Amino acid sequence: MTIASQSPREALLTAPAADTTPAPDRTPPPKRRTTLTRNRWGYAYVAPFFLVFGAFSLYPFLYTAWVSLHRTSLSDIDGGTWVGLENYRNLLQSEFFWNAARNTLTIGVLATVPQLCMALGLAHLLNYKLRGRTFFRTVMLMPYATSIAAATLVFAQLFGRDYGLINTLLEAVGLERIDWEAGTWSSQAAIALIVTWRWTGYNALIYLAAMQSIPGELYEAAEIDGASRWKQFLHVTIPSLRPTILFTVVVSTIGAVQLFGEPLLFAGNGTTSGGSSGQYQTLGLLMYQQGWSNFHIGQAATTAWAMFMIILVVVGLNAVIGRLRSRADR
């Protein structure tokens, strides 16, 4: 049958189907922006922080490491002589360094342990519904807001040998006066008391914030099991606060290693010797004495890096202990 003899219906049925596939888009795809271009405004916002951090933190940090490798004085910092690790060897052989390290450790322990224990107890009390909780929280934070100079000078008067209030009270109960500044343990205990007074309330508020995030169902379950408040504190509160306690221990340790203002002003004359025989000279006082009293900037930079290494070791040990306890709990 020819095409001419086909009926219109047959021609329609035998005609090839029309191609309905859409024509490909010849428009080139838009270029994807790079990550740097897409986040340029974010980098622009954080750039001031990195600039300030680099200028006032990173550069002094690295420059101090460079200075510690030189024998240089305060009057001619750029003209120092390269000595390598000689400053570090001299520091490890110095009796003044080890005396300051022992004093720093003693004062740190005397201040940190009672401080955190009392802060934990105060936070536990304020965690219950008490009248005037806001007032007590404000009162606990007031010592932290007090300047170091004001607090230290007041406590120095309280611990005065002849007219101090504490010695007056000791005499009133039949005890002898104590020369708080002259004794090793007495001076360190007095300085530790100043640190404890200033930081207990601050740590208590940190513990209180952590306690309020503990689920109430844990206390309800412990109460149903017949646990008293003391047992709830030991078996519910303390385990839940382990990360927070670890944080406060690390921060308190860093503060203890860097302790400077309290021992400097305790004697009332601003000397860096830490007493007549260095009985309460800390590493911070030793560093200041080396750099700004004896003008040995290289040795002072070495002491600063020694303090930094001590902090790294302590923080590392706390981190390892925290991980071991977490694995043990699992």
Side-chain angles (χ1 to χ4, degrees):
M1 181 183 293
T2 63
I3 298 178
S5 62
Q6 289 180 352
S7 64
R9 180 181 179 82
E10 293 175 346
L12 181 63
L13 293 174
T14 58
D19 189 6
T20 59
T21 304
D25 189 5
R26 302 297 182 182
T27 305
K31 295 182 179 180
R32 297 185 61 182
R33 294 183 300 174
T34 62
T35 304
L36 181 62
T37 304
R38 187 169 58 252
N39 299 332
R40 62 183 182 274
W41 289 113
Y43 288 111
Y45 279 122
V46 300
F49 163 77
F50 285 104
L51 291 176
V52 174
F53 174 78
F56 297 99
S57 295
L58 183 60
Y59 173 74
F61 181 77
L62 298 177
Y63 186 70
T64 302
W66 176 256
V67 172
S68 68
L69 302 176
H70 292 74
R71 183 186 297 113
T72 182
S73 63
L74 184 61
S75 59
D76 188 18
I77 297 179
D78 295 330
T81 304
W82 173 270
V83 294
L85 299 178
E86 181 180 344
N87 287 332
Y88 291 92
R89 288 193 294 268
N90 294 336
L91 185 69
L92 295 177
Q93 296 172 1
S94 173
E95 60 178 349
F96 299 103
F97 170 75
W98 292 110
N99 175 70
R102 286 192 300 268
N103 295 339
T104 302
L105 175 63
T106 305
I107 297 175
V109 173
L110 291 176
T112 301
V113 176
Q115 171 193 147
L116 297 184
C117 291
M118 288 190 296
L120 195 60
L122 290 174
H124 183 64
L125 292 177
L126 291 178
N127 195 32
Y128 292 101
K129 294 182 178 180
L130 301 175
R131 292 183 179 179
R133 286 187 300 174
T134 304
F135 170 76
F136 289 116
R137 294 174 186 176
T138 305
V139 169
M140 285 197 308
L141 199 59
M142 287 178 63
Y144 171 72
T146 306
S147 66
I148 297 177
T152 306
L153 292 177
V154 169
F155 273 90
Q157 295 297 322
L158 293 176
F159 285 104
R161 182 187 62 181
D162 298 323
Y163 305 103
L165 178 61
I166 295 179
N167 276 340
T168 303
L169 295 177
L170 292 177
E171 276 192 335
V173 296
L175 299 177
E176 297 182 356
R177 290 178 174 268
I178 299 176
D179 192 351
W180 295 93
E181 182 186 346
T184 300
W185 284 100
S186 59
S187 60
Q188 293 178 4
I191 294 173
L193 181 61
I194 303 173
V195 178
T196 302
W197 179 81
R198 289 194 69 246
W199 290 94
T200 298
Y202 175 82
N203 289 309
L205 291 182
I206 294 178
Y207 288 148
L208 179 61
M211 287 180 183
Q212 292 179 345
S213 65
I214 300 175
E217 293 81 1
L218 298 178
Y219 292 101
E220 293 176 0
E223 188 174 359
I224 292 175
D225 291 339
S228 61
R229 286 191 174 184
W230 174 247
K231 290 185 177 180
Q232 293 178 21
F233 177 74
L234 291 179
H235 301 288
V236 177
T237 304
I238 296 297
S240 301
L241 291 182
R242 282 181 181 175
T244 307
I245 294 175
L246 179 61
F247 168 77
T248 55
V249 169
V250 171
V251 173
S252 299
T253 302
I254 294 174
V257 174
Q258 298 176 343
L259 191 62
F260 177 77
E262 290 84 351
L264 176 68
L265 300 173
F266 180 68
N269 51 13
T271 58
T272 58
S273 58
S276 57
S277 58
Q279 63 267 22
Y280 57 89
Q281 185 183 48
T282 60
L283 290 174
L285 285 182
L286 177 64
M287 179 187 65
Y288 188 90
Q289 184 184 48
Q290 290 172 338
W292 281 264
S293 297
N294 301 334
F295 306 113
H296 296 163
I297 294 297
Q299 198 66 46
T302 305
T303 304
W305 265 84
M307 295 167 61
F308 174 70
M309 296 304 297
I310 292 174
I311 291 174
L312 282 184
V313 170
V314 173
V315 172
L317 289 176
N318 287 324
V320 171
I321 294 173
R323 290 183 180 180
L324 292 177
R325 288 182 176 178
S326 299
R327 292 178 181 178
D329 292 339
R330 293 176 186 175

